[in-house]
């Protein structure tokens, strides 16, 4: 079969012929129907995240949805033809620890896999396996958002837009800060309370939680200066590795600052239920399998709005 593989730092992905996988006793093989492209893939190639990869060449692609094509001898919970998604994970995950989903078939531990609801399309499911569960985890687990919570969302990209929808689905009131005014109408279409270019414009709103999906440092500092006393900031975005923060305001207002990274298998189950219920949807730019290499380049250049997903024939 053909696969898009990472070989060397700063070298584009290479389309290569590789052996079709067969499942170990505790694995299944998934026939890939959709695979999301992620900024982590850019990081693997440009050297930022390369140390996380255990070997090379390696087939990338960690946002995967498809149908089961083979099951290992010890697997009883899945059957051939069943629709499934694979939660993105570093530990034992395809595309990070093992060969991934930028190929026709991918082998994966059965314990990692989640069945797909009948009415969730493969492209939405692929985006949900990473962006969806990451956003949901930040909102519901780390942010503890419930009905009536006043939530600030910083950054309305692929993650932030899903985070806003997850908060709205919980019954929260949502305020969006997004520098790109071209997406403000989209924010309003979601049903948010207000949208601006700067989170500090909502100082008088009494925000309980602010989730920073941008992570430019200045955004986190702005969240500290905006949040109500005793509120919580959830840090997801990492556009900058370090930041200068107003520790005086953080301390005197007893603000809690917590990090949030990825999510769990259960998070994905709940995200898929929201998608099936029509309460959450990714903005997807669809490409074909042969365009994956070019697609990673578009991500690197910032040319993609929402999530980029390769849909296989």
């Amino acid at each position: 079969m053909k696969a898009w593989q990472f070989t060397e730092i700063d070298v584009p992905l290479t389309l290569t012929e590789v052996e079709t996988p067969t499942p170990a006793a505790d694995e299944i093989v998934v026939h890939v129907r959709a695979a999301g492209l992620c900024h982590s893939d850019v990081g693997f190639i440009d050297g930022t995240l390369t140390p996380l990869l255990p070997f090379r060449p390696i087939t990338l692609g960690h946002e995967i949805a498809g149908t089961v094509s083979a099951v290992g001898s010890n697997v009883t919970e899945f059957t051939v033809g069943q629709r499934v998604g694979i939660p993105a994970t570093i530990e034992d995950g395809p595309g990070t620890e093992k060969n991934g989903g930028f190929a026709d078939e991918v082998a994966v531990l059965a314990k990692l896999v989640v069945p797909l609801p009948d009415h969730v399309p493969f492209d939405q499911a692929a985006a949900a396996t990473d962006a969806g569960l990451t956003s949901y985890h930040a909102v519901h687990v780390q942010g503890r958002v419930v009905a009536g919570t006043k939530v600030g969302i910083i950054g309305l990209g692929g993650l932030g837009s899903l985070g806003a929808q997850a908060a709205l689905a919980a019954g929260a009131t949502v305020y969006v800060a997004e520098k790109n005014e071209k997406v403000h109408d989209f924010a309003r279409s979601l049903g948010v309370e207000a949208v601006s270019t700067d989170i500090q414009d909502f100082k008088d709103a009494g925000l309980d939680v602010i989730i920073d999906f941008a992570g430019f440092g200045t955004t986190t500092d702005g969240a500290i200066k905006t949040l109500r006393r005793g509120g919580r900031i959830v840090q997801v975005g990492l556009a900058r590795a370090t930041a200068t923060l107003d520790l005086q305001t953080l301390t005197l207002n007893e603000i809690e600052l917590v990090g949030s990274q990825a999510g769990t298998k259960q998070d994905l189950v709940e995200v898929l239920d929201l998608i099936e219920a029509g309460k959450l949807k990714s903005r997807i730019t669809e490409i074909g399998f042969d365009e994956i290499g070019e697609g990673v380049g578009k991500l690197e250049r910032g040319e993609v709005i929402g999530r980029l997903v390769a849909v296989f024939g």
Side-chain angles (χ1 to χ4, degrees):
M1 66 176 185
K2 291 185 176 181
W4 287 96
Q5 293 199 312
F6 166 67
T7 56
E8 297 292 340
I9 292 174
D10 290 332
V11 174
L13 295 184
T14 302
L15 187 58
T16 309
E17 288 283 342
V18 300
E19 186 176 349
T20 301
T22 56
D26 56 352
E27 291 182 329
I28 64 173
V29 174
V30 175
H31 177 61
V32 182
R33 297 292 302 276
L37 282 68
C38 178
H39 280 282
S40 295
D41 297 316
V42 175
F44 292 140
I45 295 170
D46 70 16
T48 306
L49 299 177
T50 309
L52 297 177
L53 297 175
F55 60 86
R56 57 178 108 151
I58 183 172
T59 304
L60 295 185
H62 57 270
E63 302 180 3
I64 307 163
T67 56
V68 178
S69 59
V71 298
S73 57
N74 292 339
V75 176
T76 58
E77 63 269 42
F78 294 103
T79 58
V80 171
Q82 188 172 359
R83 303 169 75 251
V84 296
I86 305 173
T89 176
I90 293 177
E91 184 178 357
D92 294 325
T96 52
E97 190 70 18
K98 300 178 179 180
N99 284 316
F102 292 163
D104 292 327
E105 310 273 339
V106 60
V108 58
L109 291 170
K111 68 179 183 180
L112 299 179
V113 180
V114 171
L116 293 185
D118 291 339
H119 301 295
V120 175
F122 288 116
D123 60 344
Q124 289 291 330
T129 62
D130 190 0
L133 70 86
T134 297
S135 302
Y136 184 92
H137 187 80
V139 170
H140 287 276
V141 179
Q142 299 298 79
R144 303 175 188 171
V145 171
V146 296
T149 304
K150 291 184 178 181
V151 181
I153 299 288
I154 301 177
L156 204 73
L159 290 175
S161 62
L162 293 173
Q165 292 175 67
L168 289 165
T173 302
V174 177
Y175 298 76
V176 169
E178 168 56 56
K179 290 288 187 184
N180 183 1
E181 296 186 31
K182 293 180 179 179
V183 300
H184 283 195
D185 284 343
F186 169 64
R188 296 185 185 97
S189 74
L190 297 176
V192 304
E193 186 72 12
V195 58
S196 181
T197 57
D198 191 333
I199 194 66
Q200 294 187 68
D201 290 338
F202 305 128
K203 282 183 179 180
D204 296 330
L207 299 183
D208 303 300
V209 179
I210 295 176
I211 305 171
D212 184 0
F213 287 102
F216 282 93
T218 53
T219 52
T220 313
D221 190 58
I224 290 171
K225 295 171 180 175
T226 301
L227 201 64
R228 70 159 174 81
R229 180 178 176 82
R232 166 178 290 218
I233 297 169
V234 180
Q235 191 64 43
V236 183
L238 291 173
R240 299 288 183 272
T242 60
T244 300
L245 304 178
D246 184 345
L247 295 182
Q248 185 178 64
T249 300
L250 180 84
T251 302
L252 295 179
N253 284 347
E254 296 187 331
I255 289 170
E256 187 175 5
L257 174 60
V258 299
S260 185
Q261 193 270 329
T264 66
K265 183 176 177 179
Q266 183 59 33
D267 290 332
L268 179 58
V269 171
E270 294 173 16
V271 167
L272 292 171
D273 287 343
L274 287 175
I275 294 173
E276 186 171 47
K279 295 181 178 179
L280 191 150
K281 185 177 182 179
S282 290
R283 299 180 77 188
I284 287 176
T285 300
E286 182 180 317
I287 61 173
F289 175 80
D290 292 338
E291 299 173 277
I292 287 176
E294 180 185 353
V296 173
K298 288 183 177 180
L299 272 182
E300 185 176 17
R301 295 188 296 271
E303 298 174 1
V304 178
I305 295 176
R307 304 299 292 185
L308 190 62
V309 177
V311 177
F312 297 14

